Amino acid sequence: MDSVLIANRGEIAIRVIRAARELGMRTVAIYSEIDRDALHVELADEAWNVGTAPAADSYLNIARIVQVATEAKADAVHPGYGFLAENADFAAAVLDAGLAWVGPPPHAIAVMGDKISSRKAAEKAGVRGVPGTLEPLADAAAVKVVADEYGYPIAIKAAHGGGGKGLKVVWEADELERAFESAAREADMYFGDPEVYVEKYLTKPRHIEAQIIFDNHGNGAFLGERDCSVQRRHQKLIEEAPAYGFTTEQRAALGKAALAVAEAAGYENAGTVEFLLDADGEEFYFLEMNTRLQVEHTVTEMVTGFDLVHEQFRVARGEPLSVIDTPVPRGHAIELRINAEDPSRNFLPNPGTIVEYREPNGFGVRVDSGVTAGSKISQYYDNLIAKLIVWGRDRDTAIARARRALAEFEIVGVATTIPAHQIVLDHPAFGIGAHHTKFMEDEVDLSGISRPTAPTLPEEENLIERDVTVEVGGRRYQVRLWTPEVTVPTGGPAAPRRRPPRLDRQPATSEDAGVVVAPMQGTIVKVHRKAGDTVKANQPLVVLEAMKMENEIRAPVDGDIVELRIQAGDTVATGQVLAIIR
């Protein structure tokens, strides 16, 4: 295996590129049109355009990615995480093309990627799951039957997904129908299948996950646990290893259960088995298995010393694991996800241009990022800017180092989660390890965070598309270039004026409280009301999908909808007027 195509973008593509280079491998990047100047494109040995900005046309385009891998003469494909990383059809297509797949076999992805079949596999392995259904539910009426049996709250979850997508918590019966529709819609949008199932929603559990890896020689290793309980919108913000207060007996029991689940699926390569630990800290429940490298794999690396991407390549080459026994964790590591979100507005996604960017450094500090000053955070993709990972000889040292590193981290141009991280690190409950999955919503006060002001952006060059004929080694090529716009003398030919896609520079605002505007660029996926309806303040109006999140936009005032300017499927710009209420 001499070369690898990385079927991803951003910081994870860079992470894999670096590991592959350390192993002497040639690296091939892919990019969408909007990512042509991205950092992962610059760092790879070569890069190929796979389509336009929407992920469906580029990073999810199986046929095009496999075609590029073949034409680039890659030996293997590494999917990173997200996009096609847990797509069994993609894994099969890579293998059918005669390439090595740096991940689990397609059958294991299929079994564990379906949350219902994964629950069945776990039960067969003797690992108990969160109480819930083992079959998909067709409509809200079927969900209500289950809810009446278990009692509220319940969680409606996408059967074929994870990462908080397609997950809706229902606290009361009158929320059920809307939650079912939203969960099914998100499941279809992100995972191509609207099937959902239901679990009893556990209040205040800890989210504990187990890192495992298997080779094809019959060896499996449990590399320790991570605590991922600090979350917003059911998506992780802070992860740490090892889990605070875990005993040797708990660690052994968790590892045994995780390996049993993976073995039941015929697993190979790296994966993560996720559990919920009840509020009493006495019982684990199987939640799901992620058949890929996790975003938070870094903290496991920091406390074990094992490079998980190196191990993934070993397995893909048919070599045995370099680690078999569970390593004793050395010190403590914390990862903080630096996202383009505004914590002063309930973590509203905040696409835009990074004007200034400076990473922290020093002993025990690691930053995995995919941006520089001038990088654009696009509405089309996940809003992760960087991962700040710190290590300390103990948890208190790691927390102190995280505080120092956050204070040094400078990002101007988009709102970020840094202020929220600083508040969490100073919270007494986090300090003593008493946090849980509802900690951010129930106990953390973010009201003191001020809304960032929009910076003055540097002037952008107008770029236009030009077709140029060049010769390389005597062979003629037609090349497409994006070049600065220049004034053409009178009478000269004008170049085509198709400009590359880019985000609005400044959001529009309105002084009229009854004017509802889009808080960000995105797509309208649901309209709850129609023109002429009477609404109360805070009633839901529309659902806007942007940056892999659904955002419910609510009525700002009481009144009648005198104008409704959008419908489902419309793409809207930041500040665009959606409705007028009088």
Side-chain angles (χ1 to χ4, degrees):
M1 187 186 299
D2 298 319
S3 61
V4 58
L5 179 143
I6 300 94
N8 219 295
R9 66 183 296 277
E11 56 84 21
I12 184 56
I14 293 171
R15 168 76 183 91
V16 177
I17 287 169
R18 287 170 172 159
R21 282 233 176 113
E22 291 165 3
L23 296 173
M25 300 172 67
R26 179 174 65 94
T27 57
V28 180
I30 62 172
Y31 63 92
S32 69
E33 286 189 357
I34 204 170
D35 273 346
R36 62 169 48 87
D37 297 320
L39 190 56
H40 78 279
V41 174
E42 295 181 17
L43 290 180
D45 294 310
E46 60 184 83
W48 293 62
N49 186 322
V50 290
T52 54
D57 299 330
S58 50
Y59 296 106
L60 296 175
N61 189 337
I62 293 176
R64 174 61 178 156
I65 294 172
V66 173
Q67 176 191 14
V68 166
T70 302
E71 292 180 2
K73 295 182 172 55
D75 300 317
V77 172
H78 193 302
Y81 44 68
F83 292 128
L84 294 169
E86 294 180 281
N87 188 306
D89 292 338
F90 181 51
V94 169
L95 293 169
D96 289 345
L99 305 169
W101 169 250
V102 189
H107 68 82
I109 296 175
V111 170
M112 302 314 290
D114 182 317
K115 298 302 180 282
I116 295 173
S117 65
S118 69
R119 286 166 59 85
K120 292 179 179 178
E123 290 205 357
K124 185 177 179 181
V127 180
R128 184 184 178 193
V130 177
T133 62
L134 293 178
E135 300 296 338
L137 301 177
D139 51 38
V143 174
K144 186 177 184 305
V145 172
V146 177
D148 290 342
E149 177 185 350
Y150 288 136
Y152 294 92
I154 60 165
I156 304 174
K157 306 181 74 172
H160 305 281
K165 308 298 190 302
L167 189 162
K168 303 297 172 183
V169 178
V170 183
W171 295 89
E172 298 177 355
D174 60 1
E175 303 171 1
L176 193 148
E177 186 168 351
R178 191 168 74 234
F180 173 82
E181 291 177 359
S182 181
R185 185 171 57 247
E186 278 193 5
D188 194 29
M189 180 190 310
Y190 294 112
F191 313 116
D193 194 315
E195 284 190 343
V196 298
Y197 70 103
V198 170
E199 287 180 348
K200 176 65 179 173
Y201 186 69
L202 302 180
T203 57
K204 297 187 177 181
R206 290 174 70 185
H207 188 135
I208 308 293
E209 59 187 33
Q211 177 68 60
I212 57 94
I213 188 165
F214 280 76
D215 60 25
N216 53 19
H217 296 274
N219 302 311
F222 165 56
L223 298 181
E225 81 286 349
R226 301 184 284 257
D227 186 319
C228 305
S229 300
V230 180
Q231 306 175 2
R232 53 84 183 97
R233 297 187 179 190
H234 310 291
Q235 294 179 311
K236 303 162 189 172
L237 273 180
I238 298 177
E239 303 98 351
E240 54 184 317
Y244 180 79
F246 240 48
T247 66
T248 302
E249 292 74 22
Q250 283 179 307
R251 183 168 295 118
L254 183 80
K256 180 179 179 181
L259 292 172
V261 169
E263 286 180 17
Y267 204 81
E268 291 178 11
N269 216 282
T272 298
V273 187
E274 304 198 2
F275 298 85
L276 291 180
L277 178 63
D278 65 20
D280 296 328
E282 295 180 356
E283 188 162 6
F284 292 106
Y285 295 98
F286 170 76
L287 184 61
E288 62 184 10
M289 182 175 185
N290 289 305
T291 55
R292 54 172 166 81
L293 195 68
Q294 288 278 90
V295 176
E296 59 273 19
H297 74 278
T298 58
V299 291
T300 297
E301 292 179 328
M302 297 290 272
V303 298
T304 64
F306 288 100
D307 186 313
L308 283 168
V309 181
H310 280 196
E311 292 297 316
Q312 285 192 293
F313 280 121
R314 288 180 65 92
V315 173
R317 289 196 297 250
E319 300 173 8
L321 296 174
S322 65
V323 55
I324 301 298
D325 298 326
T326 300
V328 176
R330 181 180 63 89
H332 199 91
I334 300 173
E335 176 183 280
L336 304 104
R337 299 193 193 193
I338 312 301
N339 299 327
E341 298 173 11
D342 187 350
S344 73
R345 303 171 69 196
N346 194 28
F347 294 97
L348 187 72
N350 190 237
T353 300
I354 296 175
V355 179
E356 298 178 21
Y357 182 80
R358 186 185 68 194
E359 295 177 351
N361 210 320
F363 179 79
V365 175
R366 164 181 171 180
V367 178
D368 284 15
S369 69
V371 301
T372 59
S375 293
K376 292 179 174 62
I377 306 301
S378 169
Q379 63 134 336
Y380 291 105
Y381 313 122
D382 189 90
N383 56 29
L384 180 65
I385 296 173
K387 301 184 308 193
L388 170 61
I389 308 103
V390 298
W391 178 89
R393 66 179 183 273
D394 52 35
R395 189 170 186 264
D396 288 343
T397 303
I399 290 174
R401 185 158 289 143
R403 289 194 188 101
R404 186 268 295 173
L406 285 170
E408 291 181 12
F409 215 141
E410 183 177 2
I411 302 175
V412 177
V414 295
T416 75
T417 50
I418 288 175
H421 287 310
Q422 292 171 320
I423 290 173
V424 169
L425 293 180
D426 287 339
H427 198 285
F430 182 80
I432 63 172
H435 52 292
H436 49 82
T437 58
K438 294 292 290 179
F439 170 66
M440 286 295 297
E441 290 91 342
D442 294 349
E443 301 181 35
V444 179
D445 181 8
L446 302 178
S447 61
I449 298 176
S450 58
R451 186 174 175 182
T453 56
T456 301
L457 297 179
E459 289 298 318
E460 295 182 359
E461 292 182 307
N462 283 330
L463 301 180
I464 58 177
E465 183 184 30
R466 302 178 189 274
D467 290 322
V468 180
T469 301
V470 299
E471 288 186 4
V472 179
R475 182 176 175 182
R476 183 178 184 275
Y477 293 89
Q478 199 75 15
V479 179
R480 181 177 62 172
L481 298 176
W482 294 98
T483 60
E485 185 175 17
V486 295
T487 303
V488 179
T490 304
R497 298 181 63 82
R498 187 170 76 84
R499 291 186 171 88
R502 61 187 181 194
L503 300 178
D504 292 343
R505 291 170 61 81
Q506 295 290 346
T509 59
S510 172
E511 299 298 326
D512 190 334
V515 177
V516 183
V517 299
M520 72 200 80
Q521 191 173 23
T523 302
I524 302 296
V525 296
K526 177 77 172 180
V527 180
H528 291 301
R529 307 289 172 177
K530 61 182 183 296
D533 283 357
T534 299
V535 294
K536 295 289 187 182
N538 207 40
Q539 280 189 323
L541 296 177
V542 301
V543 178
L544 175 69
E545 186 274 323
M547 301 181 82
K548 290 191 171 185
M549 289 188 184
E550 282 198 357
N551 303 274
E552 196 159 60
I553 299 173
R554 297 174 177 268
V557 295
D558 296 349
D560 297 328
I561 302 176
V562 298
E563 212 174 319
L564 189 64
R565 300 187 180 182
I566 42 83
Q567 60 185 356
D570 286 353
T571 300
V572 297
T574 305
Q576 180 175 328
V577 176
L578 308 180
I580 299 176
I581 301 172
R582 299 296 186 198

